[in-house]
């Protein structure tokens, strides 16, 4: 039985941060960072029958082509992903009244609808990119057990060697996408998505502070392993892939490329590009 301090519930019995009960969670869950993107996604639903908000976590649930679907905003960063995915899993795989694990496991389809910056000159802004893998530079998975396969493997060893990885940083990890979901993305660009723990220094941006790794982006762009390249940089994918894999869910991250870090280009109308991505992804997966 889980202690009240570990499995925290609101007075109505919903999970503490996400305000959800099991009946509120669809079989397919779309994750967005921006709370304002939630109604943009749910506008594509045939019906919306549940809405809630707590801080930056906004949720709409309803039906699309006869299937129960949910869109939820996570806010930015892997720390928020840890909260949202942990509580989504608890909603479907824990008995919230008895505060114990359910006998039967429920596997969700979790699809991120995000924005990202390209690390390859040939991937232009407004492109759609599905992440074949999440390369975690953030350190989150080191707090969980059963992650050796993600951190101890030839790709990570080569990445550490080739990039002369800074020993002050957490050891990187790599997690593949859910293969049944990735198989449906033949029309999308694909590649390894690097996930940072911040937007400025952790992604090689310099404003007023000097950074530890001024050549980080060049190192990421140059890396290649068995034909795989690092295609883009953002702040959530590795945590989604890692936690989903550990919890037994299928996950995919799809991003609209709104910036090209190599050419310096930025989308002239990223909101239109994101809306096009949402429509295409929902058509593909629902």
């Amino acid at each position: 039985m889980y202690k009240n301090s570990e499995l925290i519930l609101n007075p109505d019995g919903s999970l503490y941060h996400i305000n959800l009960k099991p009946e509120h969670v669809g079989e397919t869950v779309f994750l967005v960072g921006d709370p304002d993107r939630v109604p943009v996604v749910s506008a594509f639903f045939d019906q919306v029958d549940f809405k809630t908000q707590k801080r930056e976590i906004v949720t709409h649930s309803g039906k699309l082509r006869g299937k129960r679907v949910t869109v939820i905003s996570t806010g930015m960063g892997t720390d928020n992903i840890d909260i949202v995915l942990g509580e989504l899993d608890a909603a479907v795989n824990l008995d919230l009244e008895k505060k114990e694990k359910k006998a039967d496991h429920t596997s969700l389809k979790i699809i991120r609808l995000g924005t990202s910056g390209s690390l390859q000159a040939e991937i232009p802004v407004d492109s759609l990119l599905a992440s074949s893998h999440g390369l975690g530079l953030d350190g989150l998975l080191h707090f969980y057990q059963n992650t050796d396969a993600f951190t101890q493997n030839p790709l990570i060893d080569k990445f550490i060697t080739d990039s002369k990885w800074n020993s002050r940083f957490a050891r990187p990890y790599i997690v593949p996408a859910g293969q049944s979901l990735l198989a449906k993305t033949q029309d999308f660009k694909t590649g390894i998505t690097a996930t940072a723990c911040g937007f400025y220094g952790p992604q090689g941006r310099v404003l007023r502070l000097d950074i530890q790794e001024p050549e980080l982006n060049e190192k990421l762009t140059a890396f290649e392993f068995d034909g795989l390249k690092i295609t883009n940089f953002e702040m959530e994918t590795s945590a989604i892939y890692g936690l989903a894999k550990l919890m037994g869910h299928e996950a995919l991250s799809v991003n609209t490329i709104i910036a090209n870090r190599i050419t310096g280009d930025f989308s002239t109308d990223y909101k239109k590009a994101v809306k096009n991505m949402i429509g295409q992804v929902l058509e593909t997966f629902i």
Side-chain angles (χ1 to χ4, degrees):
M1 185 172 181
Y2 294 92
K3 297 178 181 178
N4 291 338
S5 60
E6 310 306 297
L7 177 58
I8 306 171
L9 303 179
N10 295 311
D12 66 354
S14 64
L15 284 146
Y16 181 67
H17 294 96
I18 63 175
N19 275 2
L20 300 182
K21 298 179 182 179
E23 61 267 26
H24 302 145
V25 182
E27 57 192 88
T28 300
V29 179
F30 297 99
L31 304 181
V32 298
D34 184 355
D36 289 340
R37 198 175 298 154
V38 171
V40 178
V41 176
S42 67
F44 286 85
F45 296 178
D46 296 326
Q47 69 178 64
V48 176
D49 52 39
F50 176 80
K51 296 182 180 181
T52 189
Q53 177 175 0
K54 189 170 187 180
R55 300 184 186 179
E56 69 267 45
I57 302 173
V58 177
T59 305
H60 292 181
S61 288
K63 290 283 187 73
L64 178 59
R65 290 185 272 278
K67 294 184 178 180
R68 185 76 175 160
V69 289
T70 294
V71 55
I72 181 169
S73 61
T74 62
M76 294 182 287
T78 57
D79 50 347
N80 282 10
I81 295 299
D82 184 63
I83 293 170
V84 173
L85 257 67
E87 293 192 7
L88 278 172
D89 178 75
V92 298
N93 286 311
L94 299 183
D95 185 317
L96 301 184
E97 293 183 0
K98 296 181 179 179
K99 293 208 167 184
E100 60 186 26
K101 292 180 182 178
K102 292 180 179 178
D104 297 324
H105 178 266
T106 296
S107 180
L108 299 171
K109 294 178 181 178
I110 299 171
I111 301 174
R112 164 169 153 77
L113 298 167
T115 57
S116 184
S118 171
L119 287 168
Q120 301 294 335
E122 66 271 19
I123 300 178
V125 296
D126 298 336
S127 297
L128 260 183
L129 190 143
S131 306
S132 63
H133 299 74
L135 175 65
L137 311 179
D138 56 286
L140 175 66
L141 285 200
H142 294 297
F143 290 90
Y144 293 98
Q145 294 186 14
N146 303 315
T147 59
D148 284 354
F150 306 148
T151 60
Q152 308 292 332
N153 57 68
L155 187 151
I156 290 300
D157 290 342
K158 186 174 189 295
F159 176 75
I160 289 173
T161 300
D162 289 3
S163 67
K164 297 180 175 60
W165 189 246
N166 193 323
S167 61
R168 296 186 182 203
F169 300 163
R171 183 178 177 88
Y173 62 91
I174 189 87
V175 188
Q179 295 306 294
S180 68
L181 297 177
L182 185 65
K184 296 182 179 181
T185 63
Q186 296 92 338
D187 295 335
F188 303 172
K189 296 181 184 300
T190 59
I192 299 173
T193 296
T195 298
C197 61
F199 185 77
Y200 288 99
Q203 290 189 43
R205 289 184 172 93
V206 178
L207 296 181
R208 292 186 59 244
L209 300 179
D210 294 334
I211 61 175
Q212 289 280 350
E213 290 291 338
E215 297 179 356
L216 176 61
N217 288 0
E218 289 79 1
K219 293 177 179 180
L220 295 177
T221 299
F223 180 74
E224 187 171 349
F225 181 86
D226 284 352
L228 286 170
K229 291 185 176 183
I230 300 172
T231 47
N232 60 314
F233 218 169
E234 47 79 273
M235 295 170 58
E236 289 85 24
T237 294
S238 66
I240 294 169
Y241 281 14
L243 294 175
K245 188 74 69 175
L246 292 173
M247 294 171 179
H249 304 294
E250 285 278 297
L252 181 70
S253 179
V254 180
N255 281 273
T256 300
I257 299 299
I258 64 171
N260 189 300
R261 301 296 302 283
I262 307 305
T263 65
D265 294 333
F266 193 86
S267 175
T268 58
D269 192 350
Y270 79 90
K271 290 187 177 181
K272 179 181 178 181
V274 167
K275 189 171 182 179
N276 289 339
M277 171 190 67
I278 293 167
Q280 188 169 344
V281 169
L282 267 60
E283 183 69 28
T284 300
F285 292 99
I286 303 296

